[in-house]
Amino acid sequence: MSAETQVLVKFVTKLPVELKVPESALAVPATLKRYGLSQVINHLLGLDPPRPFDFLVNGELLRKTLEHFLLEKEISAEATLEIEYVPAVVPPKNKDSLPHDDCWGKGVAVSGCYDGNIRLWKAGTDKLECTLVLPAHPGGVNAVACIPHVKGAGLIASAGKDQTLKLWKLSDAEGATPTADCIASYSDGHTDAVQGLAVSPSGSSLVSCGWDGKIVLWRTGTEVMEAAAEAAESGAKPKKRKGADAASAPAVSEAPLRTLEGHLHCVSSVSYPTDAAIYSGGWDHSVRRWDVETGIYTDTYNGSKMPPPLICPLQGLLSSVLIGGPPFAGITGHDKEKHWQYKHVYRTPDGSRQWPGHHMQSIFYQQALTTAV
């Protein structure tokens, strides 16, 4: 094709009528890419300010010139090419931010790893600095969570392949090296590896799930911390320890408050959006809503895929359960009130529908605006 070659195209869209252009064939230069086609659409619609659009041909995002696309697909330049245009997803811009303290200090993060250790991280000038390593669970740490609304202390819960959970009290005095004590253990609820955990909004209880198909409810927060303090005062008070010595014997051992059973296989994720409801996702391809008071599941949402990560929007939006996982990178949702489901698939920069070699392992929903480490 020469530089003067033009291609007949017909623009179609599923957008509202005010964003539709006439579907009659137009001749455009074969050298146009997405930006040039977007200029054509903006001109035809008379948009001011202009809006960016993406373009699909036979479901594939156009990321090259029309000429290269036709040659690659072996399509005749004399054919009329039907092109669908959709709003382009532009990178988000930071409009405002609100500084927000972490659960026990500014610029602090906690992580768990398959080496069995929990690590405490603090934000430095240009990188994260590991300030504490806690040997926690032999075989690997599968989940960690912060316990909110605990005055005067930082509490985190951890879960691992050793079938247990642990509660850690962290101390980070100004200018001092962080220290930690394991103040409680949770060891009688699961018979296989614990896969996930979530904390109630009030911080008074937490829920765990695992490969045994069980969901277990536990006491935590201020009550457990006070019980651990009383136990320490009645006996030999444990010393604060660092590094490899941090995994001292816990002061108290907690028993399950309730065990929820209903999933047919591994329960891979849980969410605790209100003190009255728990949501779980399992390898039986279902998401279930549990009533905390009665311990029974009140709703079941069945799908065709396993839902690894699971989140639930907070106050006012409890009708939605959002999950994301293989075989697509995206979000699937179930509406409790209307019993419909939706799916959104994120597209990669090269236009494919999947992220090659990846699946969505975790997803985070937050109504409050916070600073990120």
Side-chain angles (χ1 to χ4, degrees):
M1 298 183 186
S2 65
E4 295 79 17
T5 302
Q6 293 194 327
V7 178
L8 285 176
V9 300
K10 182 173 71 171
F11 293 109
V12 297
T13 188
K14 297 177 182 176
L15 295 175
V17 63
E18 62 270 16
L19 293 176
K20 290 185 177 181
V21 301
E23 293 188 6
S24 55
L26 298 173
V28 298
T31 55
L32 290 186
K33 292 184 178 181
R34 184 199 68 82
Y35 181 73
L37 293 172
S38 189
Q39 286 183 313
V40 173
I41 295 297
N42 275 273
H43 175 73
L44 292 174
L45 294 174
L47 296 180
D48 187 20
R51 294 176 54 177
F53 291 94
D54 266 322
F55 299 86
L56 300 94
V57 182
N58 297 327
E60 181 179 338
L61 278 173
L62 188 65
R63 285 294 181 261
K64 56 192 68 176
T65 65
L66 292 173
E67 177 182 358
H68 287 156
F69 181 86
L70 293 174
L71 290 173
E72 183 181 275
K73 302 299 180 181
E74 298 181 349
I75 300 174
S76 171
E78 298 180 358
T80 299
L81 195 63
E82 184 174 280
I83 302 177
E84 180 184 356
Y85 61 96
V86 296
V89 180
V90 297
K93 294 182 179 179
N94 182 22
K95 294 184 177 179
D96 196 6
S97 63
L98 175 65
H100 187 280
D101 290 351
D102 295 285
C103 57
W104 61 87
K106 287 187 176 181
V108 178
V110 63
S111 65
C113 186
Y114 275 8
D115 62 3
N117 294 325
I118 296 173
R119 288 175 172 82
L120 194 66
W121 304 84
K122 199 159 191 176
T125 55
D126 57 351
K127 63 179 180 179
L128 288 175
E129 176 189 0
C130 181
T131 58
L132 185 63
V133 179
L134 303 174
H137 298 274
V141 180
N142 282 339
V144 291
C146 171
I147 311 298
H149 308 304
V150 180
K151 294 183 179 180
L155 293 183
I156 60 171
S158 63
K161 293 183 178 295
D162 58 354
Q163 306 175 16
T164 69
L165 291 83
K166 294 181 179 179
L167 187 65
W168 305 82
K169 181 180 179 182
L170 304 179
S171 174
D172 188 13
E174 190 70 27
T177 301
T179 58
D181 285 324
C182 180
I183 64 172
S185 66
Y186 306 78
S187 56
D188 296 327
H190 290 279
T191 58
D192 208 333
V194 185
Q195 184 65 19
L197 58 84
V199 184
S200 66
S202 65
S204 61
S205 60
L206 64 85
V207 62
S208 60
C209 64
W211 282 83
D212 53 8
K214 295 179 181 178
I215 301 166
V216 184
L217 195 64
W218 312 85
R219 184 179 68 151
T220 189
T222 302
E223 288 187 5
V224 176
M225 188 173 66
E226 292 175 349
E230 292 176 4
E233 290 175 0
S234 63
K237 191 171 182 179
K239 299 179 180 180
K240 289 184 177 180
R241 309 185 178 205
K242 304 176 184 178
D245 296 328
S248 56
V252 296
S253 179
E254 287 291 310
L257 297 176
R258 190 184 298 275
T259 299
L260 313 177
E261 296 186 79
H263 282 283
L264 305 178
H265 208 292
C266 166
V267 184
S268 54
S269 57
V270 287
S271 181
Y272 207 157
T274 73
D275 289 323
I278 292 170
Y279 290 83
S280 62
W283 281 31
D284 56 2
H285 299 173
S286 72
V287 175
R288 299 173 188 248
R289 180 186 187 275
W290 303 81
D291 181 84
V292 173
E293 183 176 354
T294 62
I296 63 174
Y297 58 89
T298 56
D299 292 287
T300 301
Y301 312 98
N302 294 307
S304 60
K305 302 294 180 182
M306 176 190 71
L310 175 64
I311 62 167
C312 298
L314 303 180
Q315 292 86 347
L317 296 173
L318 289 176
S319 62
S320 296
V321 180
L322 305 184
I323 60 176
F328 60 91
I331 297 173
T332 300
H334 299 265
D335 187 284
K336 176 178 176 294
E337 304 298 333
K338 300 179 182 178
H339 300 287
W340 50 259
Q341 53 184 332
Y342 62 90
K343 181 183 292 184
H344 180 75
V345 178
Y346 293 105
R347 297 183 183 275
T348 58
D350 65 1
S352 63
R353 290 176 63 86
Q354 292 184 327
W355 295 88
H358 299 270
H359 76 256
M360 189 180 291
Q361 181 60 31
S362 63
I363 186 170
F364 182 71
Y365 178 96
Q366 183 169 323
Q367 287 185 315
L369 190 61
T370 63
T371 54
V373 177

